[in-house]
Amino acid sequence: MMDRKKILFVINPISGGKKKTSFNKQVLEVLDLQKFNPTFQQTTKPNHAFELGKTAVVENFDAVIAVGGDGTINELGSALVGTNVPLGIIPEGSGNGLALYLGIPLNETSAIRRINRFDIVEVDSGMINERPFFNIAGLGFDASVSDRFANDSTRGPIGYMRSVINVLSDYKPCRYTLTIDDVVYEREAFMISVANSPQYGNNAYIAPNASVSDGLLDVCIVHKFPMYILPMMIYHLFSKTADQSEYVEIIPGKIIKIERDSEGPVHVDGEPIQMEGILNISIKPSSLKIIC
């Protein structure tokens, strides 16, 4: 009998507000145990998934599986980027943007079955001030929402919508200087999203034509818009037509610099981080292997 592949499941026990007490048992029932030898670890603190991913590379695991949301995926992807160890995804977050784009099932059992196939694709990674991202990084309104949501006791879509409403009530657009592949743009923007894949999650598409395998990032500039337009903006997001809005400008690029007046929150795959006023952003083509 051939050697079984060693795979590590890294489980975020609080992602998406879902309990995962029976997850290990489910894996042992669904995973092909003739092909795979699973190990399980739960995260207990921020950046723990990154540490576990780094250790798994050193210990020669054949794959590491993120059981969580976009934040867990980001930590593990950051540990595995540039290595030959592929990342698997069991989507358990509030948005699951990257998983939805890659066609990974949201159903746990179906997602575990997908690992049995062990089909691997290579995807691009974005870098923002030396921090990797795989889905979307952004600043402005959505970064402020992520910052508020991170401190909300209610997880899932309800908590997220509450954060949106709270931030929207007093948010003011900001001025930015963007340099995209040596072309300079001065813009006043409600928010700026730098997209490696098309959607935030929950099928809300900010960059309908973005691709994780084209060697480009799509810089999505959402201009200041009157509040009565908000329902139409939301419609564009969920109908994959954001690029058709007169208030949305999308510029693809490889080397991007965004300058703002001061430091502030930036969301990196949905996780809020305080960053400097100058953001240097680039793309690393085909730098992460993903099981899908």
Side-chain angles (χ1 to χ4, degrees):
M1 184 172 125
M2 61 183 287
D3 286 344
R4 296 188 298 164
K5 291 185 186 297
K6 283 190 349 180
I7 58 175
L8 174 65
F9 287 84
V10 175
I11 303 158
N12 180 341
I14 61 169
S15 63
K18 304 174 192 169
K19 289 184 177 174
K20 303 173 188 70
T21 47
S22 62
F23 179 77
N24 296 19
K25 179 173 178 285
Q26 194 172 5
V27 168
L28 295 175
E29 290 172 354
V30 178
L31 194 69
D32 185 344
L33 299 179
Q34 292 190 319
K35 289 168 62 176
F36 301 105
N37 178 19
T39 302
F40 303 93
Q41 290 264 19
Q42 285 205 353
T43 57
T44 57
K45 59 186 178 181
N47 220 39
H48 194 191
F50 177 79
E51 294 169 10
L52 293 170
K54 282 291 188 191
T55 302
V57 173
V58 172
E59 294 180 353
N60 295 313
F61 274 82
D62 295 295
V64 180
I65 316 300
V67 185
D70 289 332
T72 308
I73 292 164
N74 178 273
E75 285 192 31
L76 284 173
S78 299
L80 302 179
V81 72
T83 76
N84 284 317
V85 181
L87 173 70
I89 299 172
I90 309 292
E92 298 279 9
S94 301
N96 304 308
L98 187 61
L100 283 166
Y101 171 68
L102 292 171
I104 295 169
L106 299 187
N107 175 275
E108 272 184 358
T109 300
S110 300
I112 296 165
R113 283 204 185 104
R114 188 66 67 94
I115 292 164
N116 285 335
R117 298 186 341 195
F118 216 72
D119 290 340
I120 293 172
V121 299
E122 292 186 341
V123 304
D124 304 337
S125 313
M127 300 292 293
I128 180 164
N129 285 9
E130 300 307 311
R131 290 189 68 111
F133 66 97
F134 307 99
N135 195 43
I136 294 175
L139 58 158
F141 175 75
D142 58 345
S144 297
V145 170
S146 293
D147 199 34
R148 179 74 64 97
F149 181 53
N151 297 305
D152 196 312
S153 58
T154 305
R155 306 307 293 166
I158 293 171
Y160 190 80
M161 284 309 300
R162 186 163 68 188
S163 298
V164 168
I165 291 162
N166 287 339
V167 173
L168 195 58
S169 61
D170 58 2
Y171 185 77
K172 299 286 188 292
C174 302
R175 293 207 65 82
Y176 302 94
T177 300
L178 301 94
T179 307
I180 303 172
D181 292 343
D182 297 324
V183 180
V184 179
Y185 305 83
E186 299 281 349
R187 296 290 186 267
E188 183 178 21
F190 184 71
M191 67 183 198
I192 298 173
S193 293
V194 182
N196 188 37
S197 94
Q199 64 160 296
Y200 292 119
N202 297 312
N203 294 309
Y205 286 76
I206 185 63
N209 298 311
S211 164
V212 297
S213 55
D214 63 358
L216 293 168
L217 295 166
D218 282 20
V219 182
C220 309
I221 304 164
V222 178
H223 299 285
K224 182 179 178 181
F225 59 88
M227 275 301 112
Y228 70 84
I229 295 291
L230 184 61
M232 180 56 73
M233 298 296 283
I234 293 169
Y235 168 77
H236 280 307
L237 273 180
F238 287 97
S239 64
K240 303 185 187 180
T241 57
D243 55 332
Q244 295 174 27
S245 168
E246 63 183 295
Y247 297 101
V248 178
E249 181 180 9
I250 300 178
I251 306 167
K254 295 180 179 180
I255 310 273
I256 300 146
K257 180 162 78 169
I258 302 176
E259 299 172 79
R260 51 187 177 165
D261 290 340
S262 61
E263 67 173 32
V266 173
H267 83 79
V268 180
D269 288 341
E271 297 297 311
I273 300 168
Q274 286 293 123
M275 282 193 173
E276 301 86 347
I278 296 177
L279 304 169
N280 291 295
I281 306 165
S282 59
I283 185 92
K284 283 186 172 180
S286 302
S287 51
L288 178 66
K289 299 179 191 304
I290 293 186
I291 301 166
C292 68

